[in-house]
Amino acid sequence: MTPRQAAGIRLAIGLAQGIALFLLQKADEAKAWPATTPMLYAPLLVCALMVPLLPLAALSAMRRTALIAWTAVAAALSAILAVHAAWTGAEPGRLGAGPLTPPLFVATAAMLFIAHHLVQPADAARKPIAPYADYFDLTWTNGVRLALSLAFTGAFWLLLALAAALFKLIGVTAIGKLIGETAFAFPATGLMFAAAVHMAVQLTEARAGLVRGALTVGLTLLGWLTPLMVLIGGGFLATLPFTGLAPLWGTKAATAILLTAAAALVILINAAYQDGEEPPHALPRAAARVAGLLLIPIVILAGYALWLRIDQYGLTPERVFATAYWVVAVGFTVGYALAAVKPGPWMKPLERTNLVMAAVSVLLLIALFTPLADPARLSVASQVKRLETGKVSAEKFDFTFLWFDAGRYGREALERLKTSRNADIADRARKMAITKEKPLITPAKRGPDFAQMAVYPAGKTLPDSFKAQDWTSSGTDAACTITGMRCSALIIDVDGDGADEVLLASGSTFDIFKSSNGVWRRVAMATGICADANIESALKSGAAQMAEPEPRRDLKIGDQRLTIVPMGDGCRNGVPIGPVWYKTGVIQEDIR
């Protein structure tokens, strides 16, 4: 196929894609067919948005029959994911689509991108598995092409916006009206993106050496960060025996942080390895081996943290996704650890690991967005089982999750719970099923983490009424009561009435709670201008007391009294420097 023929076909594909998206958008606006048939509209939208990218990228690189077959398979897979999303969004008893959420489009794009870069090299090599260097080159080259095409399309729209603004200065508004019309915007975007892809393909093929050289330089520089990441990961693991796991669990995000660290190690190992044809410098080469072994304890810790949360609170959609990420991390860990210790060519087993885990990732994405492992389905089954077995009471169970956040699976479960033998469960399920709007405050809202709360000064304890009260009621919202953060408490008489107040610390700020008729409500805040002030160490030393009263003048505007708080000139070593009109000669000299 000649470049001119390829250009014509790509432009035709881009124009057809833009027109298709425009027609679908207008049907949705007018509530006309096919938007009135969500089970058809959803796959049409997803396929029109995603699938044309495949022939645009591989038009002159794959055999015609193979490209047509692969495009058909990709369209079928995308349609299946979209139909399932539409089906799960439906209310029980009818077919219909809920909104197609951004995760669906991200997952479909990721699935097609990974799968395409397994298919095209194999087709070019005329065998099921191509040389690893082919996968490496095509993936990175297409990544560059995609970035350039998106940048070109964005620049096109910036120039149109500039043209509209310039002509508007002289009273001509036609250009602004034109680019604001979807009848122009969708086809023009599709056409310009297709043109950009064609130009990017031609340029990267004509200057393949230049592109390869730039990628090599960038990845080599990134590979030199592998020793630093090894030091960070090794230092973290070496410190754990001295700190214990409690601080890690206290972050409430241990799994996410650990999996992010594992992902960073995987990326840096690959940056050092590249296509495997030329081993890097001895330092990143040795660091990559160590990094492959560091993955083992990090991924084990991530799995343990995830298991603890699931065992304690059951599955949620976020934990299902985290489990899928962890499965992928385990696969990379096994392969990279074996590559690190296996004799022979440096880290050679890494190549097979990458190909296997790419295929596993595609299968996991398909499973997560179909009934096989739908996070909503698994979460509903887990949470309802906890409710029915008594692990969680009906009072504390999050019925709003079933009705508002779990799609069809949650609503069907709620319908079943209406007939539960437990009268309390059945009553709450019936009440939730007639709720029209999701409450702003759900039963998932937590109070302070009293088990981890440090109380000052020594010898003081939190009042029982403070710990036992309803922390979902109004007037109790504060930083560590909404999010369940670990915080410290100071027991002190703030207003001098002889009764102690409770101050909850969040950084350098205290939320002040006062008891009135047995109910503790937040009545004030105490804050300083030094965010780096070491409040915790001062509390531990017992250096907390109420200051003597000082004369002050407030500003009155009508019936409102406004307190004047001097902001000062910043902080030094956690100590505020006074406001400008309080400066002494010594301080003035010190800050010049």
Side-chain angles (χ1 to χ4, degrees), residues 30-123:
K31 304 302 179 187
W33 188 89
T36 53
T37 309
M39 300 294 284
L40 175 61
Y41 180 80
L44 285 176
L45 177 61
V46 174
C47 289
L49 187 62
M50 300 294 179
V51 176
L53 300 180
L54 302 179
L56 284 177
L59 184 61
S60 55
M62 289 182 68
R63 291 173 295 173
R64 182 178 302 176
T65 55
L67 179 57
I68 293 173
W70 162 230
T71 302
V73 170
L77 290 175
S78 302
I80 289 171
L81 268 59
V83 168
H84 175 256
W87 182 80
T88 55
E91 294 181 4
R94 72 171 180 86
L95 291 179
L100 296 179
T101 58
L104 171 68
F105 293 98
V106 173
T108 305
M111 177 195 70
L112 294 181
F113 184 86
I114 297 171
H116 179 74
H117 292 91
L118 293 175
V119 170
Q120 184 176 328
D123 176 70

Side-chain angles (χ1 to χ4, degrees), residues 569 577-588 591:
D569 289 343
I577 300 173
V580 65
W581 58 85
Y582 290 153
K583 288 177 184 173
T584 65
V586 175
I587 297 178
Q588 184 68 50
I591 66 173

Side-chain angles (χ1 to χ4, degrees), residues 11 317 402 413 507 560:
L11 292 175
L402 298 182
Q560 299 294 318

